[in-house]
Amino acid sequence: MNTELTNALATVTLVDAFYQYEQTRPDDIFLRQPVGDTFIDFSWAETGRQARILATYLQSLDLPPGSPVGLISKNCAHWIIADLAIMISGHVSVPFYATLTADQLRQVMQHSGCPVLFVGKLDDWPATKAGVPTDVIGIQFPEYGPIDPDLVQWNDILDRYRPMTGTFRPAPDDLFTIIYTSGTTGNPKGVMMQYRAMAEAIEKTRPMLRHDLPETRFFSYLPLCHIAERNLVEATCLMTGGTIYFAETLDSFARNLAAARPTHFLAVPRIWTKFQLGILAKMPQKKLDLLLRIPIVSGLVKKKIREGLGLNEAKLILTGAAPMPTSLIRWFRALGITIQEAYGMTENLGAVSMMPPNQVKDGTVGKLYPGVEVKIDPVTGEIAMRSPWNMLGYYREPELTAQTLRDGWLYTGDVGEVDADGFLKITGRVKEMYKTAKGEYVAPAQIEFGFSDNNLIEQICVAGQHLPQPVALVVLSELGRSVNREQVTESLSATMNTLNPRLHAYERVKKVVVVRDTWTVDNNMLTPTMKTKRNVVEAHYGPHLEHWYERDEVVVWE
């Protein structure tokens, strides 16, 4: 059944796909929301019923057509239903990160001008609520927390309104969504995407994203407001008629993943590292290496590990959003888990390149998708790309749009190169490059990547704009915190001594500083997508850098 839309035109929108499965497979399960050891299931028909009723309510508000409608929640079945309701009511979906503080939410709410906000599964809605303008109509999801009497209740809407009659079909050039970036270097920007862009991207990447499977299952836990999850989970499921499973809590993550047995699975590098540490906690590396050398036993061990992770039926396993250490990719590959690295950004629906499963070239982010063109700026090395799914622009930001979109090319801000075999390699970020006290330009990302094989390190930020040589600030991993200081010092020194000879003289790391506090979203050191806010980290530790630099020891402890 998943091939029903394969031969359709590229302008089949997500709304068209939803209507297709709502009509042809009404009783099949579309969404599975875990509650303890059971599930609340939503068939395609039930999803359609609730989305259509919510669409009726939205239309009753007499908003101008194409109004931005906000959505803030952790991943859950109601997130998808709300997103569909916004689409089929003729409005524009504007999802926000569930981890936003009140001030951060206020900024994007005011910038987007959303007159309505869906409020869902959140850790502390009373604290976040302060960021919502008083004239905004709030609609609260059921099931996920105490009822807020100031919000319109989802179930009350279901009781009082009838499903929207007819079918609203957006035009390909209509605005589909405004996706706010995570704000690594400043205020989040609202990326405008048309329905056509998503349709084109899906059409060109069907073979790589395995639309050919007879049954597709997805596990949704990374933020759905981020383009990677929105693309791989929501959009791909809608286009294949699959089923989406959700994670209920952090504690139930492993159990929920095992129950889902996804055919498609995406994890950021930090998740893969946690998986690795979990496996090694049960089976130390020496024992694992020994068992993998025994032919029959090796196969049994690999199968057990895949089943333990819930990935025994996965056909597409991806990583993205941040560089993945080559050693970690190879480690999982030795277990029979082939992780394909993908590269892209919000501004191009996350679809620039992906590693071919049968033509792996470690150290790169794979080959370009069909329909993508890339050129490298000869002076800065910046990657510019062109595709049918580039953004329309930044919402209400014409100057920023003009800086990023030039003559049909999207300037990514990433520095990289394309090799003779057509593989793309990312070597840094234009804005992150800085000039040392000696006047030489340093690309921190490449130096940081050189430390990625050391599993005692959880987070790293190379700094030192006003120092003669760079300094590496590191946060220890759980494993790093479990061993004594002398072992950590020895390990970090060895990594630095191995890395430095491979770098230019002006790039060589002078000190490694072990800092006390973990960088988190809550302390504003990380974006909601777990990317380091380099400017915030550097500003926080900046006053201490010169003192640490002058210390005698190579590894300094804060």
Side-chain angles (χ1 to χ4, degrees):
M1 295 295 289
N2 293 351
T3 60
E4 293 172 19
L5 298 171
T6 300
N7 297 319
L9 296 174
T11 50
V12 169
T13 68
L14 296 183
V15 172
D16 294 326
F18 174 71
Y19 289 155
Q20 170 89 9
Y21 292 116
E22 183 191 27
Q23 292 298 314
T24 61
R25 300 168 57 180
D27 298 327
D28 287 359
I29 301 302
F30 173 32
L31 308 172
R32 303 206 76 191
Q33 179 64 45
V35 180
D37 293 326
T38 62
F39 289 94
I40 299 175
D41 290 336
F42 296 84
S43 66
W44 288 91
E46 178 59 18
T47 299
R49 185 187 76 85
Q50 295 197 22
R52 287 171 182 276
I53 294 175
L54 290 162
T56 297
Y57 173 74
L58 290 175
Q59 290 178 337
S60 76
L61 300 176
D62 291 326
L63 305 173
S67 292
V69 176
L71 169 54
I72 183 167
S73 175
K74 293 182 180 180
N75 299 16
C76 59
H78 295 88
W79 197 107
I80 301 291
I81 299 171
D83 198 35
L84 286 166
I86 296 167
M87 286 189 258
I88 68 175
S89 65
H91 296 305
V92 178
S93 174
V94 189
F96 303 122
Y97 287 98
T99 53
L100 294 182
T101 64
D103 288 341
Q104 292 168 336
L105 179 59
R106 182 180 300 108
Q107 191 273 322
V108 289
M109 283 292 292
Q110 291 176 342
H111 186 272
S112 62
C114 292
V116 179
L117 177 69
F118 280 94
V119 177
K121 187 179 180 184
L122 298 169
D123 288 334
D124 190 358
W125 166 242
T128 308
K129 182 180 178 179
V132 181
T134 55
D135 59 343
V136 169
I137 298 170
I139 304 170
Q140 187 174 22
F141 290 6
E143 314 292 350
Y144 305 110
I147 290 176
D148 184 339
D150 294 332
L151 303 179
V152 179
Q153 295 303 306
W154 180 292
N155 284 339
D156 288 345
I157 293 173
L158 296 187
D159 290 340
R160 295 174 186 174
Y161 290 83
R162 293 182 177 276
M164 180 186 76
T165 57
T167 53
F168 171 78
R169 294 187 183 275
D173 291 333
D174 284 350
L175 195 58
F176 153 51
T177 189
I178 300 171
I179 308 172
Y180 277 87
T181 60
S182 55
T184 310
T185 57
N187 284 335
K189 300 182 288 290
V191 174
M192 296 186 289
M193 280 293 172
Q194 297 166 297
Y195 281 95
R196 181 188 302 279
M198 181 63 84
E200 291 274 8
I202 288 171
E203 184 63 24
K204 291 292 186 182
T205 60
R206 284 181 186 278
M208 289 74 78
L209 295 185
R210 299 304 308 272
H211 285 228
D212 60 314
L213 300 177
E215 181 183 355
T216 55
R217 292 183 303 280
F218 304 82
F219 182 63
S220 182
Y221 69 101
L222 296 173
L224 268 166
C225 58
H226 187 270
I227 190 56
E229 189 86 349
R230 194 100 174 273
N231 198 339
L232 182 72
V233 174
E234 183 186 36
T236 306
C237 187
L238 282 170
M239 297 303 288
T240 60
T243 303
I244 301 175
Y245 291 69
F246 297 89
E248 183 180 17
T249 65
L250 187 62
D251 290 339
S252 68
F253 178 91
R255 184 174 75 250
N256 297 151
L257 176 56
R261 297 172 295 108
T263 57
H264 294 62
F265 182 73
L266 166 69
V268 296
R270 288 184 70 185
I271 298 293
W272 290 114
T273 299
K274 290 182 183 300
F275 283 171
Q276 181 192 42
L277 293 175
I279 293 167
L280 292 177
K282 297 177 181 178
M283 189 180 300
Q285 189 67 56
K286 287 185 178 180
K287 181 179 179 181
L288 182 60
D289 289 340
L290 175 63
L291 295 177
L292 291 178
R293 287 196 292 267
I294 305 172
I296 296 176
V297 175
S298 174
L300 295 174
V301 169
K302 292 177 183 179
K303 182 180 178 183
K304 184 175 181 180
I305 289 174
R306 284 180 67 105
E307 288 177 345
L309 292 175
L311 300 180
N312 50 307
E313 296 187 25
K315 305 301 181 186
L316 178 66
I317 303 176
L318 295 175
T319 189
M324 178 87 157
T326 300
S327 61
L328 190 58
I329 289 178
R330 289 173 175 166
W331 189 87
F332 277 101
R333 194 184 299 151
L335 298 177
I337 299 173
T338 300
I339 303 171
Q340 296 171 244
E341 193 159 7
Y343 166 69
M345 61 211 65
T346 308
E347 289 85 345
N348 50 39
L349 288 177
V352 176
S353 66
M354 189 169 82
M355 188 69 69
N358 300 318
Q359 191 185 359
V360 174
K361 192 164 192 177
D362 290 329
T364 74
V365 289
K367 289 194 168 187
L368 303 181
Y369 288 117
V372 174
E373 299 174 78
V374 158
K375 66 178 182 179
I376 309 296
D377 187 287
V379 177
T380 64
E382 183 176 6
I383 300 167
M385 61 82 63
R386 184 163 59 183
S387 75
W389 48 87
N390 280 0
M391 69 172 180
L392 192 61
Y394 293 120
Y395 190 56
R396 295 180 173 176
E397 299 289 353
E399 292 184 7
L400 287 175
T401 298
Q403 292 170 17
T404 305
L405 287 175
R406 289 175 257 161
D407 299 322
W409 291 88
L410 172 66
Y411 283 76
T412 65
D414 289 317
V415 177
E417 58 193 44
V418 180
D419 68 17
D421 298 320
F423 287 83
L424 179 63
K425 183 177 182 180
I426 311 299
T427 58
R429 290 283 295 169
V430 175
K431 290 183 179 179
E432 291 178 354
M433 296 178 69
Y434 70 84
K435 188 181 288 188
T436 68
K438 297 178 182 178
E440 303 282 3
Y441 281 99
V442 171
Q446 281 300 99
I447 302 173
E448 291 162 1
F449 200 65
F451 282 87
S452 62
D453 288 346
N454 191 318
N455 59 11
L456 301 185
I457 298 173
E458 172 81 11
Q459 300 164 308
I460 182 168
C461 179
V462 168
Q465 187 164 350
H466 303 295
L467 300 174
Q469 299 289 142
V471 169
L473 304 169
V474 303
V475 175
L476 296 181
S477 66
E478 186 177 341
L479 179 62
R481 293 191 297 270
S482 70
V483 300
N484 64 52
R485 181 173 289 198
E486 184 178 340
Q487 288 176 287
V488 172
T489 297
E490 184 178 333
S491 175
L492 296 179
S493 298
T495 298
M496 191 179 82
N497 292 335
T498 300
L499 172 64
N500 275 342
R502 304 202 302 263
L503 301 173
H504 294 295
Y506 58 85
E507 294 177 313
R508 290 171 186 165
V509 177
K510 179 75 171 179
K511 303 282 180 183
V512 178
V513 179
V514 180
V515 301
R516 284 191 296 265
D517 297 329
T518 300
W519 305 331
T520 67
V521 175
D522 290 338
N523 63 24
N524 199 35
M525 300 289 193
L526 295 184
T527 71
T529 54
M530 303 298 144
K531 294 177 183 175
T532 302
K533 288 188 173 182
R534 189 178 299 277
N535 56 338
V536 176
V537 171
E538 289 178 352
H540 180 77
Y541 296 104
H544 308 286
L545 288 179
E546 190 171 344
H547 168 68
W548 289 334
Y549 189 88
E550 298 299 330
R551 296 267 292 269
D552 292 333
E553 61 267 44
V554 172
V555 177
V556 177
W557 293 74
E558 185 185 14

